[in-house]
Amino acid sequence: MLKIQKMSFAALMISAVVSGTVFADEKTDTKFNDEVSYALVAYSMTQAKIMAEQGEIKLNEAQVNKAVEDVLKGKFTEQKIGELSQTLELFQQKVMAREQAKMKEISQKAQEEGDKYRAEFAKKEGVKTTKSGLLYRIVEAGKGEVIKPTDTVKVHYTGKLPNGEVFDSSVGRGQPAEFRLDQVVKGWTEGLQLVKKGGKIELVLPPELAYGKQGAGASIPPNATLYFDVEVLDVNPKAK
């Protein structure tokens, strides 16, 4: 989507130049003018090339050259620019439709993999399931006061997808994470209250207790089930 927006911006800039809404200052440095002329075309063509490499379009070199020639010859009337805008809008709609279909497929696959993973994990020794659907296994209970949602916890953790791929790890970074327990995903808020300081716990979060239908970035797809191995290093109650 971002690439389409960039491409549209470049197209609008060229349209503005053609229609006269952007004009050259007589005192403009010639070298700078040449650089801007080059940059405008290079920018739009780079975006087009990226789309071609990603399979979104197949560039027709003859049409590309014709477009540049038509711009330089001033053949772009307001009517023509309107037609080009409609073509780009139609292209954008097709790209969006293709992306939505792709995301639906990814989401469905993640849902199926997650359902299977949770069913298998539930069979392991020591695993329990809460009313919310959270699966957990306590490795070490820890000692001290029961952790409350308003407490700030310091933890080391590793997060994995059902296929075993690690998407995040404070252990790998060598830097513990610290946060207030009620400011993270629901599965963590619920799960870490089941252990105390020094405790270790395995958590398996169904999508609704993790990032749901939205997913998170490029690493966590929509409807993903997540596995976490967590160690509670420290607990700091909220100051009264």
Side-chain angles (χ1 to χ4, degrees):
M1 183 62 182
L2 181 60
K3 296 183 179 65
I4 297 297
Q5 291 174 339
K6 288 181 177 179
M7 180 68 173
S8 298
F9 174 76
L12 288 172
M13 285 297 293
I14 293 175
S15 298
V17 173
V18 174
S19 63
T21 57
V22 175
F23 54 89
D25 188 331
E26 293 179 357
K27 297 180 180 180
T28 299
D29 181 79
T30 302
K31 180 181 179 182
F32 179 70
N33 186 76
D34 291 346
E35 290 175 348
V36 173
S37 298
Y38 179 87
L40 278 172
V41 178
Y43 181 82
S44 60
M45 285 309 304
T46 297
Q47 297 305 312
K49 188 172 183 295
I50 291 174
M51 293 179 189
E53 291 173 348
Q54 294 178 340
E56 294 176 0
I57 56 173
K58 184 176 181 180
L59 286 179
N60 182 314
E61 186 174 346
Q63 288 296 94
V64 170
N65 292 333
K66 184 177 184 302
V68 174
E69 181 180 351
D70 287 349
V71 169
L72 295 177
K73 289 183 177 180
K75 293 184 177 181
F76 280 61
T77 62
E78 288 188 11
Q79 180 181 349
K80 181 64 176 178
I81 292 173
E83 293 173 356
L84 293 177
S85 296
Q86 291 179 1
T87 298
L88 289 177
E89 287 175 7
L90 179 60
F91 172 59
Q92 185 169 355
Q93 290 171 7
K94 289 185 176 182
V95 170
M96 289 177 64
R98 187 162 61 242
E99 286 298 315
Q100 289 172 354
K102 182 179 179 181
M103 288 306 298
K104 183 177 180 180
E105 181 179 345
I106 291 174
S107 176
Q108 181 63 33
K109 181 180 179 182
Q111 182 71 59
E112 293 173 355
E113 289 180 345
D115 291 346
K116 181 179 179 181
Y117 181 82
R118 294 196 308 278
E120 291 299 319
F121 189 84
K123 297 176 183 178
K124 294 184 179 182
E125 184 178 355
V127 173
K128 297 180 180 180
T129 305
T130 68
K131 292 181 179 179
S132 68
L134 174 71
L135 284 81
Y136 70 94
R137 177 164 59 184
I138 296 176
V139 180
E140 290 184 25
K143 298 179 180 179
E145 299 292 328
V146 174
I147 299 175
K148 297 183 289 297
T150 54
D151 290 345
T152 295
V153 296
K154 180 184 288 186
V155 302
H156 254 320
Y157 68 91
T158 296
K160 298 179 181 179
L161 297 175
N163 62 7
E165 179 183 345
V166 175
F167 61 83
D168 191 15
S169 176
S170 66
V171 178
R173 291 192 298 273
Q175 180 64 48
E178 192 169 356
F179 49 82
R180 209 171 94 156
L181 193 55
D182 59 1
Q183 295 180 347
V184 289
V185 293
K186 294 179 180 178
W188 273 62
T189 303
E190 180 183 0
L192 293 193
Q193 293 182 70
L194 301 172
V195 291
K196 302 175 182 179
K197 180 179 177 179
K200 296 181 180 180
I201 189 170
E202 291 180 280
L203 300 172
V204 174
L205 282 57
E208 57 271 21
L209 297 181
Y211 294 98
K213 297 179 180 180
Q214 290 74 38
S219 302
I220 301 176
N223 286 331
T225 288
L226 305 180
Y227 165 89
F228 289 98
D229 181 5
V230 188
E231 179 182 5
V232 181
L233 303 175
D234 198 8
V235 179
N236 292 306
K238 179 182 179 182
K240 295 183 180 180

